[in-house]
Amino acid sequence: MSTIRQQDFIQSIADAFQFISFYHPVDFIRAMGRAYEDEASPAAKNAIAQILMNSRMSAEGHRPVCQDTGIAVVFLKIGMNVRWDATMSVQEMVDEGVRRAYTDKDNPLRASVLADPDGARKSTRDNTPAVVHMEVVPGDHVEVKLAAKGGGSESKSRFAVLNPSDDVVEWILGQVPTMGGDWCPPGMLGVGIGGTPEKAMVMAKESLMAPIDIGELKKRGPKNRAEELRLELYEKVNALGIGAQGLGGLSTVLDVKVLDYPTHAVMKPVAIVPNCAATRHLEFHLDGSGPARFEAPSLDNWPKLAVDLAAGAKRVDLETLTKAGTATWKAGDRLLLTGKILTGRDAAHKRLADLIAAGQKLPVDLANRLIYYVGPVDPVRDEVVGPAGPTTSRRMDKFMDTMLAQTGMLGSIGKSERGAEAVAAIKRHKGVHLIAVGGAAYLVAKSIRGARVLAFDDLGMEAIREFDVRDMPVTVAVDTTGDAVHESGPREWRSKIGRIPVKVA
Ligand code: SF4
């Protein structure tokens, strides 16, 4: 029998979420380092370099690896011989831990959770409640596995109830290309097979709590069907050529995890949940001896990269940029931006579109400006802005035609690809779409030298800001002719992988 005290449990949860906000798991850093070494696509290699540089900077600065600090997910296995010295419920204790972690004054994390999801969608302000999965098992300790899951990857989860004779691999290989680069690969795929629909989804998520070990599995060989699937999917998903950030390349997944469970004779439920470049999870056990302690990883775990982001990049002065300038850019060009950009994402775009539709004056002048899709973390100490990486661009697709046609805006900066509607609008209005690396939020923030709110202050992280940037690294994803790297890159690398040995663990 062991007794877990309320304050120890809450403290452990809080410390764990702070820890994973700035430390990638060591197995993930090493796997990403190997992906960097092996990568043959220059664009993907550059993106992986930025992810690794960002990871090390976050570890050193104790600031989030990504501006999306995730929704808290917690798996608990509670021993049947555990006694709680607590007045709060387990859910309440987890939520109190999450609250403390996300409102930490030295490293505040972004509160992304909204209540009333199909109504007012109002921020809960402290990222609670967590999503908690509990199981009661034999034993006298509590096993805690937790993760901070980013919205970009969570929203690319997939589920289907296949027929018993359907091929799981075929279905997954059909789904992954539809996820594009929005889930910020390279990362991991969690797969749940069997049970009932909700069981398959939970297994897919839980499978991601394990460390990357595909290399070991390859060496020792599979012992069951789930392990066979892991190896087959790892090879075949990487052969799709999607690559880092969807730019085309050898590494799309660093590992594939599979959990399965008996199911009904008439069906085969299958779920996929991806883990992104901001893979953040941790496991610890409580046995009544006090709160969990977490040891900071040695910086020796990060590869020593001698990467000059300026090499091969064009420097752009945003203060003199016009359509004549953007027309010289080609899809795939790497740029370093210096000058002023505006920010705005979902809610700000909706308001701007409504004002335009009503024939009213806009609160900001977008003429000859680029708009950056971002919702930064609040700054601390001498920061002008907290981690400020790009958010998913496709959510702004429906506004692209209006924005380019009605505001004089030159284009956008965001994460990964645009949909066909937005690419057509870009081509029609000779706009551009640039990408910054999703999951490199702290590195991007270091290039922001000034920030001030210009409009819609009430939208918080979604307010329209003016950023003063210096040498902000971006890549031209869609040029003024409508040429799109997220189309051409994966096509090129899928074809190349067909002719060169597929990446192995
Ligand atoms: S790395 Fe990409 S998907 Fe992951 S949390 Fe950050 S922006 Fe979202």
Side-chain angles (χ1 to χ4, degrees):
M1 174 75 73
S2 61
T3 302
I4 311 291
R5 297 190 311 160
Q6 177 169 299
Q7 62 265 40
D8 292 345
F9 186 70
I10 292 172
Q11 190 64 48
S12 304
I13 296 282
D15 290 350
F17 275 110
Q18 270 291 310
F19 188 89
I20 62 173
S21 77
F22 45 76
Y23 289 133
H24 269 129
V26 168
D27 56 277
F28 186 81
I29 299 160
R30 290 187 180 142
M32 193 67 87
R34 287 193 294 275
Y36 174 78
E37 290 300 323
D38 294 345
E39 188 54 73
S41 154
K45 198 171 179 91
N46 183 274
I48 296 172
Q50 290 193 44
I51 290 166
L52 284 165
M53 290 161 75
N54 178 77
S55 174
R56 189 186 174 110
M57 287 164 68
S58 295
E60 287 173 328
H62 285 196
R63 292 292 276 142
V65 292
C66 189
Q67 80 287 342
D68 182 348
T69 49
I71 182 168
V73 181
V74 180
F75 289 89
L76 297 173
K77 285 198 169 64
I78 301 172
M80 290 162 88
N81 293 329
V82 165
R83 194 184 147 270
W84 293 92
D85 177 9
T87 54
M88 298 165 89
S89 72
V90 172
Q91 174 79 47
E92 286 170 340
M93 287 189 283
V94 170
D95 288 345
E96 181 56 25
V98 169
R99 185 172 293 118
R100 288 187 196 175
Y102 279 74
T103 57
D104 185 285
K105 67 175 178 11
D106 288 327
N107 180 35
L109 308 180
R110 203 181 76 183
S112 305
V113 171
L114 310 177
D116 197 9
D118 194 35
R121 294 183 66 80
K122 208 166 171 348
S123 172
T124 62
R125 301 197 162 274
D126 54 17
N127 225 45
T128 63
V131 176
V132 183
H133 305 279
M134 281 185 256
E135 217 180 308
V136 178
V137 298
D140 54 7
H141 70 275
V142 176
E143 175 194 286
V144 184
K145 292 179 181 173
L146 50 77
K149 290 288 282 128
S153 56
E154 284 291 276
S155 59
K156 296 299 159 192
S157 301
R158 298 284 192 264
F159 171 77
V161 180
L162 302 186
N163 289 320
S165 59
D166 290 345
D167 187 327
V168 168
V169 173
E170 192 182 310
W171 180 76
I172 291 174
L173 293 177
Q175 295 300 313
V176 174
T178 70
M179 292 154 56
D182 284 343
W183 63 283
C184 293
M188 297 161 73
L189 279 189
V191 179
I193 305 173
T196 50
E198 84 283 5
K199 177 74 179 173
M201 287 302 300
V202 173
M203 286 191 295
K205 176 68 64 66
E206 189 171 10
S207 73
L208 295 169
M209 304 293 133
I212 290 173
D213 64 353
I214 196 85
E216 288 86 328
L217 174 59
K218 202 166 174 73
K219 275 186 208 123
R220 73 163 161 81
K223 290 191 182 133
N224 51 41
R225 177 62 187 147
E227 292 185 346
E228 283 171 14
L229 275 173
R230 285 183 61 194
L231 291 173
E232 185 178 355
L233 284 168
Y234 176 77
E235 184 163 327
K236 290 184 174 172
V237 170
N238 279 324
L240 292 171
I242 294 165
Q245 299 288 305
L247 290 165
L250 300 182
S251 266
T252 303
V253 285
L254 305 175
D255 200 345
V256 179
K257 301 292 188 186
V258 177
L259 287 177
D260 62 12
Y261 196 82
T263 191
H264 192 285
V266 305
M267 65 179 183
K268 199 183 328 183
V270 187
I272 317 173
V273 178
N275 239 4
C276 58
T279 282
R280 295 163 288 208
H281 61 88
L282 190 61
E283 175 177 345
F284 61 90
H285 294 233
L286 295 176
D287 59 6
S289 59
R293 305 264 174 231
F294 308 111
E295 197 177 328
S298 161
L299 288 177
D300 292 341
N301 288 301
W302 278 262
K304 292 183 180 51
L305 301 181
V307 179
D308 177 7
L309 295 181
K314 297 179 183 172
R315 289 186 189 275
V316 175
D317 178 358
L318 294 168
E319 299 317 300
T320 57
L321 187 64
T322 61
K323 279 204 163 183
T326 55
T328 66
W329 299 346
K330 294 279 166 263
D333 283 355
R334 287 195 299 106
L335 312 174
L336 292 174
L337 305 179
T338 295
K340 306 276 198 317
I341 56 175
L342 300 180
T343 75
R345 42 175 282 177
D346 310 63
H349 274 76
K350 172 80 171 68
R351 284 197 190 173
L352 290 173
D354 287 348
L355 288 170
I356 291 169
Q360 292 180 17
K361 191 171 182 308
L362 299 184
V364 288
D365 182 8
L366 286 141
N368 288 329
R369 292 284 177 212
L370 296 166
I371 195 161
Y372 181 28
Y373 304 147
V374 63
V377 176
D378 287 340
V380 293
R381 298 177 285 279
D382 58 349
E383 292 176 350
V384 296
V385 67
T391 195
T392 303
S393 307
R394 274 200 267 205
R395 293 200 313 272
M396 267 53 77
D397 278 2
K398 64 182 175 187
F399 303 111
M400 201 59 177
D401 186 71
T402 302
M403 294 291 285
L404 287 170
Q406 310 274 348
T407 69
M409 179 180 99
L410 293 173
S412 52
I413 309 167
K415 185 177 81 176
S416 63
E417 62 270 302
R418 307 304 303 242
E421 174 191 10
V423 173
I426 290 167
K427 187 174 176 186
R428 192 160 49 245
H429 301 295
K430 302 211 177 314
V432 286
H433 176 59
L434 315 177
I435 54 163
V437 173
Y442 197 40
L443 180 137
V444 172
K446 293 288 182 193
S447 66
I448 301 169
R449 305 303 169 92
R452 64 186 179 114
V453 173
L454 294 188
F456 307 151
D457 198 8
D458 59 303
L459 293 180
M461 68 153 177
E462 294 208 39
I464 294 184
R465 292 175 169 80
E466 182 185 71
F467 280 174
D468 189 359
V469 300
R470 189 172 316 157
D471 291 339
M472 177 179 174
V474 295
T475 299
V476 180
V478 186
D479 65 23
T480 53
T481 69
D483 193 9
V485 283
H486 292 94
E487 283 285 325
S488 54
R491 197 180 335 113
E492 176 191 344
W493 282 90
R494 185 176 184 154
S495 144
K496 280 185 176 164
I497 290 169
R499 301 193 302 272
I500 60 178
V502 173
K503 176 187 180 300
V504 293

